[in-house]
Amino acid sequence: MPEPETDISDPAEALASLKAARGAVGRNMTYPFGYDLLYGGVCALLVAGQGLPQPWAVLTVPIALGALALMVRWWKNRFGFWVDGFQPKGARWVAVVVGVLFAALTIGSLVGREKGILWLPLAMGAVAFVGAVVGGRWWMAVYRRDLAETVE
C-alpha cells in the first residue's frame, strides 16, 4: 500500500486522502475462507465443549483459546494489526448480535449437559459453527463499509 501524503495543506484534500486510506484498508484485507472455517470450529468447540461431561468441558476451553491466539497471530502477521469486534460502530452491533447468539447457544449446551441430552451440545456447536462463519463474514462486510464511509 502506498504511503499516504502527510503534507496536505487543503483540508478537503486531507479529508479525501484520509477517506481513501480508510477505504483501502478494508479492500486490502482479503483472507482465505479457511480462516472462517477455523474460526467456526473454535466457536463450535467453545459452545459444544461446555455441554460435554468433565473433564472434557474444561479441556475444550484452552484448546479453543489456543487456536484463537494462533489465529490472531496469523492475522497480525498478514495485515500488521488486529481489530477487535467493537469498532467501528456498525461492526460493533454485529459483534453484539453474534455474542448474544453464542451466549444463548452456550446456555443450550449447558442445559444439554444438565439434562443428559448429549445431542443438544453437539447441535448447539453446529449452529455456533455456522453462526461464526456467517457472522464473521457479516462483520467484515460491515467493517469494510464503515471504513469506506465519510470521515466525520
Side-chain angles (χ1 to χ4, degrees), residues 31 91 94 135-147:
Y31 57 96
V94 175
R137 286 289 167 158
W138 178 29
W139 184 90
M140 183 57 78
V142 172
Y143 177 73
R144 286 179 175 142
R145 185 196 68 214
D146 285 351
L147 286 178

Side-chain angles (χ1 to χ4, degrees), residues 64-88:
L65 294 180
L68 186 60
L70 292 173
M71 292 175 68
V72 169
R73 178 180 286 191
W74 177 87
W75 192 276
K76 284 181 177 182
N77 289 340
R78 180 163 180 150
F79 298 111
F81 62 94
W82 173 257
V83 179
D84 68 31
F86 297 104
Q87 292 297 332

Side-chain angles (χ1 to χ4, degrees), residues 14-15 20 24 29 39-40 56 65-66 73 77 80 88 92-93 96 98 107 116 122 125 128 138 146 152:
L15 190 57
M29 289 176 51
Y39 176 64
W56 304 111
L65 294 180
R73 178 180 286 191
N77 289 340
R92 176 183 314 149
W93 289 109
V96 168
V98 172
I107 290 169
L122 300 176
W138 178 29
D146 285 351
E152 296 179 29

